[in-house]
């Protein structure tokens, strides 16, 4: 379900835009539901396989404009100490000073600065990603998975997407050389987002 349906005007070369009423109705403020969302990553290990991890504690908000997605916005805070790769020793290394230094920098944050429709249900949200004391721009490609009212009466929307980063751009440079060549941890990291968000109740008149 796309935010816009484009129709050609037979009487003119111009293209008009019709807003989908169903999506216009989704306009509003949403809170990300951490119990039904995941924020994770995939990184190459020892040049031969992938390690996957996620952050169990995060919160955020979405401001959706179903009539004009350019007016939409997103904000996410991720608790670094909640990282989970399935191996406690590795998680301990990730939160240490070699990597995230979670004691000094407890949060990873994203604040959007722009949003656009790429076509159909695909969108791109651009913003500032802060890890440790470094803030750099990041573009996240997302797919709108639809909307639904759950059994508790909550209006939900869902998005999933990803973005590739070089961790060294955010000062995460620890590594170890392999005897056979290459390094223990790749510089390229894929960030993965699977978001379910609940619409805030309309204010009482």
């Amino acid at each position: 379900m796309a935010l816009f349906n484009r129709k050609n005007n037979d009487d003119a070369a111009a293209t008009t835009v019709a807003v989908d009423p169903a999506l216009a109705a989704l306009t509003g403020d949403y809170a990300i539901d951490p119990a039904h969302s995941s924020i994770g990553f995939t990184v190459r290990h020892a040049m031969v396989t992938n390690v996957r991890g996620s952050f169990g504690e995060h919160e955020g908000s979405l401001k959706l404009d179903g009539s004009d997605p350019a007016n939409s916005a997103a904000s996410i805070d991720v608790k670094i100490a909640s990282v989970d790769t399935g191996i406690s020793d590795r998680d301990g290394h990730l939160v240490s000073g070699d990597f995230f230094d979670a004691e000094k920098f407890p949060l990873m944050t994203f604040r959007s600065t722009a949003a656009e429709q790429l076509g159909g249900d695909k969108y791109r949200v651009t913003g500032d990603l802060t890890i440790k004391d470094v803030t750099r721009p990041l573009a996240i490609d997302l797919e709108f998975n639809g909307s639904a009212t759950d059994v508790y009466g909550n209006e939900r929307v869902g998005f999933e997407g990803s973005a590739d980063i070089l961790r060294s751009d955010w000062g995460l440079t620890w590594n170890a050389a392999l005897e056979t060549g290459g390094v223990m941890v790749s510089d390229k990291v894929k960030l993965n987002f699977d978001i379910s968000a609940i619409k805030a109740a309309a204010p009482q008149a």
Side-chain angles (χ1 to χ4, degrees), residues 52 74 90 105 113 138 145 180:
R52 293 174 175 82
R90 181 165 58 206
F105 305 102
T113 55
L138 175 70
N145 287 339
T180 54

Side-chain angles (χ1 to χ4, degrees), residues 46-191:
M47 310 295 291
V48 298
T49 191
N50 289 318
V51 167
R52 293 174 175 82
S54 62
F55 297 94
E57 297 183 40
H58 52 81
E59 62 182 17
S61 61
L62 305 177
K63 179 182 179 182
L64 301 184
D65 188 330
S67 300
D68 185 355
N71 292 328
S72 299
S75 174
I76 301 175
D77 292 338
V78 177
K79 188 175 180 180
I80 293 296
S82 70
V83 66
D84 182 6
T85 64
I87 297 178
S88 59
D89 287 346
R90 181 165 58 206
D91 297 341
H93 192 196
L94 287 173
V95 301
S96 75
D98 282 344
F99 284 96
F100 289 109
D101 197 359
E103 184 174 349
K104 186 175 181 181
F105 305 102
L107 294 179
M108 173 172 63
T109 66
F110 177 78
R111 302 288 185 267
S112 69
T113 55
E116 61 180 314
Q117 183 184 23
L118 301 180
D121 291 332
K122 299 185 183 300
Y123 301 87
R124 177 169 294 152
V125 177
T126 303
D128 294 324
L129 176 67
T130 300
I131 303 175
K132 299 175 75 170
D133 56 350
V134 179
T135 299
R136 294 180 61 89
L138 175 70
I140 305 172
D141 288 343
L142 296 166
E143 183 169 359
F144 175 55
N145 287 339
S147 62
T149 301
D150 66 22
V151 295
Y152 302 104
N154 298 312
E155 295 183 58
R156 290 179 178 267
V157 293
F159 294 88
E160 63 178 314
S162 63
D164 291 333
I165 68 170
L166 297 179
R167 60 188 179 92
S168 59
D169 286 344
W170 280 266
L172 303 175
T173 58
W174 183 92
N175 227 320
L178 301 175
E179 293 183 3
T180 54
V183 292
M184 181 69 73
V185 185
S186 69
D187 191 19
K188 181 180 176 180
V189 179
K190 178 181 286 293
L191 301 177

